[in-house]
Amino acid sequence: AIMAEVSKKQVYPGKSPYEMLPVETCVAKVLEEVNAALPAERVPIAKARGRRLCRDAFAAAPIPAFPASIMDGFAVHSADGSGRFPVDQVAGATAGALAGSQLEPGFVRYVTTGAAVPLGADAVVKVEDTKEVWEDDKLFIDISVKSKPGANIRQVGSDTAAGSLALRAGTLVGAGEIGLMAALGIGEVEVSMQAVVAVLSTGDELLDD
């Protein structure tokens, strides 16, 4: 039991014979009595906030999960080089949308920053290096530069590889950690169970109703 030292001062009726303890001292004494770690339980990440991880958390999926454009521009076949090329899909590809159909050699397709690069394309040319040209109601793009394979593309797993360590055991889970785990495909984690605390009030001023 946690007890304060008996006060040497004169005790008058109704006064506790024990000195008051600071909250920090009480917490420290309680922690001294806790000799074992709390048991672990597996919970959905949405319910892990405010808990500590019992095990390391590893990425279940890579980031990005697909080749992604790092700027607004046009997906191309680098082997096509510079020149004038028809646009195969006027709508293009935007962030959050599927990659769509394969881009055939000799064509280009507009992509926004973060969008999935179409299958077949191996580079992205930024809009500043292009110019729109309309011929007989058809859209063409003049490309003034030559690209190298992989130019302006974030490759699969370039930020975080699948299976890599995301969070270490002992990490206190907050909103940021939940967002990270969601992005990495982690749905559940092992965390320490929450402690059960009992508060007992004593004193002769308490009456039963």
Side-chain angles (χ1 to χ4, degrees):
I2 300 173
M3 301 290 289
E5 296 295 332
V6 176
S7 174
K8 296 179 181 180
K9 297 178 181 179
Q10 181 65 35
V11 178
Y12 54 82
K15 176 177 173 59
S16 172
Y18 301 102
E19 291 283 359
M20 293 289 289
L21 293 177
V23 173
E24 295 77 9
T25 302
C26 293
V27 171
K29 287 182 175 293
V30 169
L31 293 178
E32 289 176 2
E33 299 295 325
V34 180
N35 298 318
L38 292 170
E41 63 176 338
R42 195 165 186 84
V43 300
I45 59 174
K47 295 185 177 180
R49 187 171 184 175
R51 316 276 286 275
R52 290 194 180 274
L53 295 178
C54 291
R55 294 178 180 272
D56 293 339
F58 296 90
I63 294 181
F66 49 81
S69 175
I70 65 173
M71 60 179 57
D72 293 352
F74 288 87
V76 301
H77 287 263
S78 59
D80 288 341
S82 58
R84 179 170 296 181
F85 303 94
V87 174
D88 71 339
Q89 294 180 12
V90 176
T94 56
L98 298 177
S101 61
Q102 182 162 321
L103 180 69
E104 299 297 333
F107 290 86
V108 299
R109 186 181 305 169
Y110 179 70
V111 291
T112 62
T113 302
V117 176
L119 296 174
D122 65 351
V124 172
V125 177
K126 60 183 179 180
V127 291
E128 291 82 356
D129 292 327
T130 67
K131 180 181 179 180
E132 293 185 5
V133 178
W134 288 88
E135 295 180 355
D136 298 327
D137 295 329
K138 293 183 179 180
L139 178 59
F140 292 80
I141 300 297
D142 280 348
I143 294 179
S144 59
V145 297
K146 294 182 179 180
S147 296
K148 296 181 179 179
N152 299 320
I153 295 177
R154 292 167 58 216
Q155 300 298 333
V156 174
S158 57
D159 289 350
T160 305
S164 62
L165 178 65
L167 296 170
R168 294 190 179 279
T171 298
L172 180 63
V173 178
E177 288 74 19
I178 291 175
L180 173 63
M181 291 187 288
L184 294 174
I186 301 172
E188 293 184 341
V189 288
E190 283 193 26
V191 295
S192 297
M193 295 182 67
Q194 294 176 304
V196 177
V197 179
V199 179
L200 303 178
S201 296
T202 62
D204 56 9
E205 70 278 6
L206 300 178
L207 299 176
D208 292 330
D209 292 333

